[in-house]
Amino acid sequence: MSDPKPTYLSDYRPPAHRVTHAELSFDLDPAATRVKARLHVERHPEREAAEPLVLDGEQLTLEAIAIDGQPLGEDEYAVDEHGLTVHRVPERFQLDTEVTIAPQENTALEGLYQSNGMYCTQCEAEGFRRITFYPDRPDVMATFSTTVIGDVEREPVLLANGNPVERGTLPGGRHFVTWEDPFPKPCYLFALVAGDLEKVEDRFTTASGREVTLQIWVEEENLDKTDHAMASLKRAMRWDEETYGREYDLDLFMIVAVNDFNMGAMENKGLNIFNSAAVLTHPHTATDAAFQRVEGIVAHEYFHNWSGNRVTCRDWFQLSLKEGFTVFRDQCFSADTNSAPVKRIQDVAFFRTAQFAEDAGPTAHPVRPDHYIEISNFYTLTIYEKGAEIVRMLRNLVGWEAFRSGSDRYFERFDGQAVTIEDFVDCMAEASGQDLSQFLRWYSQAGTPEIDAHGEYDYAECEYRLTLRQRTPATPDQPEKLPLHIPIRMGLVGTKSGEDLTLTLEGEQLGRDTVIHLREEEQTFVFSDVAEAPVPSLARGFSAPVKLRFPYGREDLAFLLANDSDGFNRWDAGQRLALLALDDLIAAHRNGVEKVMDPRVVEAFRSLLAQADTTDDKAVLAEMLTLPSEAYIAEQQPLVDVDAIHAARTFVKQSLALALRDDFLAVYEANRSDAPYAPEPEQIGARSLKNVALAYLVAIEDDAGIEHAQQQFAADHNMTDVRHALTLLTHSSRDDLSDPALRAFGEKWAHDPLVMDQWFSIQVTRPQSDALERVRFLMDHPAFSLKNPNRVRALVGAFAGQNRVNFHRPDGQGYQLLADVVIELNRLNPEIAARLITPLTRWQRFDEGRQELMKRELERIRAEELSPNVYEVVEKALAQ
Ligand code: TRP
Ligand code: ZN
C-alpha cells in the first residue's frame, strides 16, 4: 500500500492492445481456484510495434504463461503488484495464462469471493484484475466464453454471462457448464455464480416476439420472496420497450440474490447480481419502502442492458454517462408505476439533504471528475443522482420527443462502443437543434449553485419583475465558477384568484406554466399584463439541482401551500413554512427562551388534515404532513447544532399533535385496513398517511395513540405497519413500551438476516442517550458480523448517519466508535470502510469542540496503514 497516485482524465489514451475474444475457465476451489484465460489480442493500429503488452492483475499467483502456444521464458515478462508486462509481442496473438486465486480469503468482496458458501463475482469497477491478467478498462470490449467447473454436490448450479452452450460431468464428483456471451463487453460486466441455489422462472415475450426466459436464483429459504422482483422485472422490460424502444437481446435473463454485497446490485450482462436486500421481499419481512426500492433497483439494473452495457463508458470518468442516465430512467419508471408526485418529492427530499451535503463538503467533485485515486470512491450521489438531475434538465430543455430521438441516435450510433458524456449530449443537441455548450458546464463544475431571487409587482404598469442571481460556491480544486445554464420552471399565482396567471415575457405569450432560462450571473425577467399581484412559484418540480432562495413571507408560503397548481411546490412551500418556524425555535432553544409554536403552521396542518377524506393521493398528503428531517434542517443552518435541531423539531411535532390530536386520531382510524397486503399505490398511500398520524400521537404519549401502536405491532399484519409501530415504541422514552416489543421481534426473526438488520437499525437510531451503548452491545450479537456490508450499514451506518444527537455526543464517543470500525474495516473491506467515514468528513459544519474531536478521529485513522480507498477520503477530509 505505497502512496497511491491519482489517475487523470487528461491522460486518457486508447488502449495499446485490445482483446477481441476471451476464453476463460474456472476450476473452483475455496483456497485455490484455478483460472485459465486464453485472450485473443490485437495491437491498436495506431500504436507502435515495440510497445509491450501491459495487463492489470492484483493478488494473482501466476502458474503458467504462453503466447501462441509457446511458454514464455522468465526474461520475457515481468509481474509486480499491479500486473503483468510481456516485453515483446506480435501484432496479433493468443495469450494463455493460468493463475490461482483464493475466494475464501476475499473479504473485500471485489473479484471472485464466497458468500454463505456460494461463489460469486463483483467486477465493477476494477475487480476483474483480481480474477485474471487483463486490460481492466471499459474501452476494451470482447466476447467471452466461460467454463465453470465445480463440485456436483456443493455447486450444483454453475452460472455465467450469456447462454449455456455445453454441460457435462467430470471425474472426482465434478461437473462443468460452458457459457457464451455473444455481445462484446468490457470485463467489468463479467459475472460468475456457483452454489446450491434454487430458481424461480418466468417468461417474457419481447415486442418483436423473442421469447426470453427469466430466472431469479436464491437460497432455498428465500423462494417465497421473489414474486415482487419478478413482476417488477417484467414491468421494466415492457416499459423500456414502450418508452425508449429498447428490447432485451438474449434468450435468458438471470438475477441472483447474494448476502454479502458491497452495493445494491450489479448489471452484469445477462446475469445481474443483487444484494439480497435489493431483491427479496415478502409482506411480512419487507416494508412498502423496501418493495419500492426493489422495484426501482430491478428496473435500474435491467435498464443498464442498454444504457451501460450495449453502449458503455470509455473510461471511469464517464461513469455518470451510464449511471446518471440509468437513474433518470428508473426514476421515470417508478413515477409511471406509482404516485409520480410522491416519487419526485421523496427523491428530491433525499437529494437536497444528502447530495447537497456532499457538494458542500471536502469530497465534492464534478459529475464528471477530472481525477481520482480510487474509482470506487466515486460511486456517489453526485455521479448518480446529480447526474440524473442533469439528464432530467436535458429532457426538459429539449422536450420529450427530441430527447427520445436523441436517445435513439445515441443507442444506434454507439452500439457496441465505449463512449463519452459529450457523445450523449451531442446526440441531444443534434436531435433538438439546440446549442448545449453552456449546459455542458454542469458536468465539469462541482458545487450546488445558489440562486437569490427577488421580485416586485408594479401595480401601475401591471408588470412583475423577477430578478435571479446565480453563484456557485468554491469547492476543492475549483475556486472560480462560471455561470450555468439553469432552467427554471415557474408560474405566477394570482393572490386574488389563487390561479396561475397567463405569462407574457417580452411580448411573448408563454401559457401559465413556463420555463425561463438563467444563463447570466444575473438576469431580470419582466412579465407584462400581470393583472393582479402574484406570488411566484419557482423551480417547479425541482427543475434544476440548485438552492433557490426567495424572501417569501409566511403568508406567501401558506398561500402557495394551499393554491400552487404544482404539487411538488405545494409540498415545498409547506417545507419552507415549517423551516421558518423551526428557525425561530432553534434560536429560542439556543438562547434558553421559551419556545412558542407558530399558529400559521398549525392552521396549515389543520387544513391539510381536513383534506384526508377527499384527497386522491394520500401518499402526497402524508409527505406534506411530514416535517423536514433533522438532516435537512441541519443543511439550512450556518452551524449545525444537533441538540437544538432535535429539540425544535420535537417541539413542533408535539405542538402539532397537541393542537390537532383529534384530527390525527380520526385520520389514523379512517385509514386502517385488514385487506390482504399489496404493494400498490393506493394501499401504500393509506398506510403512510395512517402511520404519519400515529407518529404524531405517540410523540405526545397519547393513550389512544400508544394503544394503537401496540395493537398495530401485535396484529402483525405486514412489515410496514409492524416496523413503524416498533420504531415509534422504541423511540419513545418509555422502556416499558420498547423492551417487550423489541424482544418479541428479535426472537421471532432471529433466523432472517434482512429483518434483523431492521431490528438493529431501529434500536441504534433511537434518540435516547443509551443508543451508543446499544451499538456496542449489538456489535457482539450473534446476528452481527463486520464482514457483512448490510449488517455494518444497518448497525454502524445507521447510527452514524441517522442518529444525529447520539453520534455527535459532546464527549466524542460516537466519533471514536466510528473510527474504530473504520480502522478494522480498512483491512477487511476498503470500499465499505471508505463509505462509512462520510459523517466524519463533515466536521466543518459543527462547533469547535466537535470539530476537534472529529478531526482527532480522522487523524487516528490516517496514522494506520491505509487502503487507497480510505486514504483518499481521509486525506481530502483533513486537507480542508
Ligand atoms: N453499477 C452498479 C449500479 O449502479 C453499481 C455497483 C454495484 C458497484 N456493485 C458495485 C460499483 C461495486 C462499485 C463497486 O447499478
Ligand atoms: Zn447503475
Side-chain angles (χ1 to χ4, degrees):
M1 304 192 192
S2 49
D3 67 324
K5 301 234 167 8
T7 304
Y8 293 92
L9 169 58
S10 56
D11 288 345
Y12 174 81
R13 282 186 82 191
H17 294 93
R18 50 190 184 213
V19 179
T20 53
H21 181 61
E23 289 164 58
L24 306 176
S25 122
F26 292 77
D27 198 347
L28 296 173
D29 181 90
T33 290
R34 199 161 280 273
V35 184
K36 292 185 194 165
R38 169 166 295 177
L39 307 183
H40 299 246
V41 187
E42 292 176 355
R43 172 154 47 85
H44 191 286
E46 282 153 34
R47 285 301 191 60
E48 285 167 35
E51 282 199 55
L53 171 72
V54 181
L55 300 178
D56 301 294
E58 287 173 11
Q59 296 167 39
L60 308 173
T61 309
L62 182 63
E63 310 282 354
I65 179 165
I67 284 190
D68 292 330
Q70 292 296 314
L72 297 189
E74 273 186 23
D75 55 343
E76 293 178 280
Y77 67 93
V79 178
D80 68 13
E81 57 177 333
H82 298 297
L84 165 73
T85 304
V86 183
H87 306 310
R88 218 180 286 277
V89 289
E91 193 164 323
R92 179 175 299 212
F93 57 96
Q94 279 181 25
L95 173 73
D96 284 296
T97 61
E98 193 177 323
V99 302
T100 48
I101 51 181
Q104 75 183 7
E105 263 130 60
N106 183 346
T107 57
L109 313 185
E110 291 176 88
L112 177 68
Y113 64 93
Q114 284 193 292
S115 173
N116 265 27
M118 80 192 250
Y119 294 87
C120 63
T121 54
Q122 172 55 40
C123 295
E124 188 177 4
E126 297 182 335
F128 195 72
R129 60 188 62 186
R130 295 170 188 226
I131 290 177
T132 192
F133 290 107
Y134 199 84
D136 189 1
R137 44 188 290 169
D139 57 354
V140 172
M141 298 174 85
T143 50
F144 281 70
S145 159
T146 306
T147 298
V148 190
I149 303 165
D151 191 279
V152 175
E153 298 287 320
R154 282 194 310 268
E155 293 99 30
V157 176
L158 304 169
L159 310 175
N161 313 86
N163 304 308
V165 293
E166 202 187 335
R167 61 180 73 229
T169 51
L170 298 166
R174 310 284 283 175
H175 68 148
F176 75 94
V177 181
T178 299
W179 294 78
E180 255 162 36
D181 182 358
F183 292 97
K185 66 169 179 287
C187 63
Y188 81 86
L189 292 172
F190 172 83
L192 171 164
V193 170
D196 188 3
L197 296 166
E198 301 285 333
K199 68 166 183 285
V200 175
E201 197 165 280
D202 208 329
R203 302 191 72 71
F204 181 87
T205 309
T206 69
S208 67
R210 177 194 280 274
E211 283 288 320
V212 185
T213 301
L214 311 177
Q215 297 175 341
I216 301 183
W217 293 90
V218 296
E219 290 164 324
E220 194 190 353
E221 68 264 30
N222 292 323
L223 276 171
D224 61 342
K225 301 191 183 73
T226 62
D227 292 356
H228 183 64
M230 187 65 90
S232 301
L233 174 61
K234 289 192 280 182
R235 275 198 295 275
M237 293 177 84
R238 196 60 76 207
W239 188 90
D240 213 18
E241 293 182 345
E242 288 168 354
T243 316
Y244 281 86
R246 295 293 124 197
E247 275 190 31
Y248 188 60
D249 51 13
L250 286 164
D251 302 328
L252 177 61
F253 184 82
M254 297 174 282
I255 286 177
V256 183
V258 169
N259 294 312
D260 302 85
F261 203 71
N262 281 350
M263 310 264 283
M266 181 62 213
E267 69 265 24
N268 316 302
K269 183 79 188 189
L271 179 55
N272 287 2
I273 298 184
F274 273 61
N275 186 326
S276 55
V279 59
L280 302 178
T281 58
H282 186 280
H284 281 118
T285 61
T287 60
D288 290 334
F291 271 82
Q292 290 180 324
R293 205 162 47 240
V294 165
E295 178 179 57
I297 298 178
V298 167
H300 178 99
E301 306 311 331
Y302 173 73
F303 295 157
H304 268 316
N305 191 53
W306 278 95
S307 48
N309 301 4
R310 291 285 290 256
V311 181
T312 193
C313 302
R314 187 192 72 173
D315 53 71
W316 290 121
F317 296 101
Q318 321 295 329
L319 179 57
S320 195
L321 173 70
K322 75 176 175 80
E323 295 305 344
F325 188 21
T326 305
V327 170
F328 172 69
R329 277 150 55 70
D330 83 57
Q331 287 176 345
C332 294
F333 165 74
S334 293
D336 285 353
T337 320
N338 301 286
S339 160
V342 170
K343 174 67 181 155
R344 190 66 184 141
I345 288 168
Q346 289 173 347
D347 286 346
V348 173
F350 172 64
F351 185 83
R352 291 201 300 209
T353 47
Q355 198 282 328
F356 279 8
E358 184 168 278
D359 245 351
T363 58
H365 54 277
V367 170
R368 178 164 54 196
D370 50 21
H371 67 281
Y372 58 74
I373 287 180
E374 173 51 63
I375 186 58
S376 57
N377 284 336
F378 285 77
Y379 286 74
T380 60
L381 297 169
T382 300
I383 305 289
Y384 275 66
E385 316 298 323
K386 189 173 180 180
E389 291 302 320
I390 296 176
V391 175
R392 181 179 295 267
M393 285 191 286
L394 268 176
R395 194 257 331 245
N396 292 343
L397 278 178
V398 305
W400 168 252
E401 272 176 40
F403 184 84
R404 168 62 204 273
S405 113
S407 154
D408 289 350
R409 262 169 216 258
Y410 171 71
F411 290 128
E412 275 149 38
R413 185 179 301 168
F414 299 117
D415 191 4
Q417 296 182 45
V419 303
T420 64
I421 283 171
E422 273 89 1
D423 291 327
F424 178 76
V425 177
D426 280 351
C427 288
M428 296 302 165
E430 284 171 30
S432 66
Q434 286 191 36
D435 177 0
L436 298 171
S437 46
Q438 186 187 3
F439 185 82
L440 268 175
R441 286 180 192 159
W442 277 105
Y443 285 103
S444 54
Q445 203 162 272
T448 305
E450 296 170 2
I451 298 179
D452 273 301
H454 62 90
E456 35 191 31
Y457 180 62
D458 183 330
Y459 283 86
E461 301 284 329
C462 288
E463 272 181 6
Y464 187 79
R465 285 189 280 275
L466 177 69
T467 300
L468 304 177
R469 202 184 152 72
Q470 63 164 301
R471 189 186 90 82
T472 303
T475 50
D477 307 328
Q478 287 189 338
E480 307 290 338
K481 308 283 180 174
L482 296 167
L484 295 167
H485 174 184
I486 305 178
I488 309 280
R489 189 159 81 77
M490 62 164 293
L492 294 175
V493 190
T495 43
K496 280 199 210 123
S497 58
E499 298 202 340
D500 281 347
L501 306 175
T502 309
L503 302 172
T504 308
L505 187 60
E506 280 151 25
E508 205 188 332
Q509 288 257 357
L510 298 170
R512 291 165 192 274
D513 178 289
T514 195
V515 179
I516 57 173
H517 298 268
L518 176 61
R519 296 170 194 268
E520 315 289 328
E521 210 166 283
E522 180 173 317
Q523 266 170 272
T524 298
F525 299 85
V526 183
F527 296 92
S528 53
D529 305 316
V530 180
E532 45 177 311
V535 179
S537 167
L538 301 171
R540 282 179 164 171
F542 196 63
S543 65
V546 300
K547 291 182 186 165
L548 193 146
R549 288 186 285 258
F550 185 91
Y552 288 116
R554 296 187 197 202
E555 276 76 16
D556 296 335
L557 292 171
F559 171 79
L560 287 178
L561 175 63
N563 294 291
D564 200 320
S565 65
D566 182 63
F568 176 87
N569 271 19
R570 271 203 306 282
W571 168 78
D572 197 36
Q575 298 286 297
R576 286 176 189 258
L577 180 61
L579 282 173
L580 288 179
L582 283 158
D583 260 353
D584 292 350
L585 294 163
I586 289 167
H589 183 87
R590 292 177 67 94
N591 300 329
V593 182
E594 196 198 337
K595 299 190 187 69
V596 184
M597 181 66 184
D598 182 345
R600 280 164 291 204
V601 178
V602 178
E603 286 325 302
F605 269 65
R606 195 189 304 282
S607 356
L608 288 175
L609 284 162
Q611 299 163 22
D613 296 336
T614 51
T615 180
D616 52 12
D617 195 337
K618 289 182 176 177
V620 171
L621 187 57
E623 293 295 340
M624 308 250 269
L625 290 167
T626 302
L627 296 172
S629 66
E630 288 185 15
Y632 187 56
I633 302 167
E635 266 302 294
Q636 319 303 310
Q637 306 288 315
L639 191 79
V640 180
D641 180 337
V642 286
D643 301 307
I645 290 171
H646 182 70
R649 190 174 184 276
T650 305
F651 177 81
V652 172
K653 218 174 6 173
Q654 291 174 337
S655 306
L656 288 168
L658 287 170
L660 304 167
R661 185 254 178 201
D662 295 347
D663 307 67
F664 283 121
L665 191 58
V667 167
Y668 179 80
E669 285 170 352
N671 285 283
R672 274 187 305 185
S673 158
D674 291 332
Y677 177 90
E680 276 152 15
E682 215 167 295
Q683 269 199 17
I684 293 173
R687 269 193 291 277
S688 31
L689 185 55
K690 171 191 75 166
N691 283 332
V692 166
L694 187 61
Y696 281 97
L697 295 167
V698 176
I700 51 169
E701 294 187 15
D702 179 81
D703 286 341
I706 287 175
E707 178 130 356
H708 281 314
Q710 286 183 310
Q711 272 171 14
Q712 182 168 312
F713 177 75
D716 203 8
H717 186 272
N718 61 77
M719 184 53 105
T720 306
D721 285 346
V722 170
R723 177 175 175 169
H724 186 72
L726 180 61
T727 303
L728 294 179
L729 298 171
T730 305
H731 292 198
S732 79
S733 45
R734 300 251 311 264
D735 287 352
D736 62 313
L737 299 177
S738 95
D739 289 352
L742 277 173
R743 197 171 323 113
F745 189 94
E747 279 165 18
K748 173 161 186 192
W749 293 107
H751 63 282
D752 188 323
L754 295 178
V755 183
M756 290 305 276
D757 282 346
Q758 305 183 58
W759 187 72
F760 287 139
S761 293
I762 290 167
Q763 297 182 67
V764 301
T765 52
R766 76 194 302 246
Q768 278 68 38
S769 60
D770 68 346
L772 185 130
E773 284 69 35
R774 287 204 188 208
V775 180
R776 289 232 163 85
F777 178 75
L778 290 170
M779 282 179 72
D780 289 328
H781 192 280
F784 182 78
S785 160
L786 261 190
K787 290 193 178 159
N788 180 288
N790 288 355
R791 301 301 92 78
V792 172
R793 277 186 282 260
L795 192 58
V796 187
F799 172 72
Q802 290 163 49
N803 195 338
R804 303 180 64 91
V805 279
N806 284 300
F807 175 64
H808 293 285
R809 275 162 64 131
D811 65 3
Q813 282 204 49
Y815 310 145
Q816 261 175 45
L817 182 144
L818 187 65
D820 287 342
V821 174
V822 168
I823 288 169
E824 215 172 325
L825 270 175
N826 170 60
R827 286 187 284 270
L828 292 170
N829 187 331
E831 264 183 33
I832 299 297
R835 275 166 195 280
L836 211 56
I837 305 172
T838 306
L840 279 177
T841 67
R842 307 281 156 80
W843 56 265
Q844 304 88 338
R845 304 279 290 115
F846 297 86
D847 57 85
E848 257 177 59
R850 287 185 170 91
Q851 288 199 3
E852 286 314 310
L853 292 165
M854 293 170 95
K855 279 196 280 188
R856 186 185 302 167
E857 295 308 318
L858 286 166
E859 275 155 10
R860 191 158 67 84
I861 297 171
R862 184 162 63 177
E864 296 283 315
E865 192 179 319
L866 294 179
S867 60
N869 309 56
V870 173
Y871 171 86
E872 180 173 37
V873 175
V874 172
E875 280 297 316
K876 281 184 176 175
L878 285 169
Q880 287 285 290

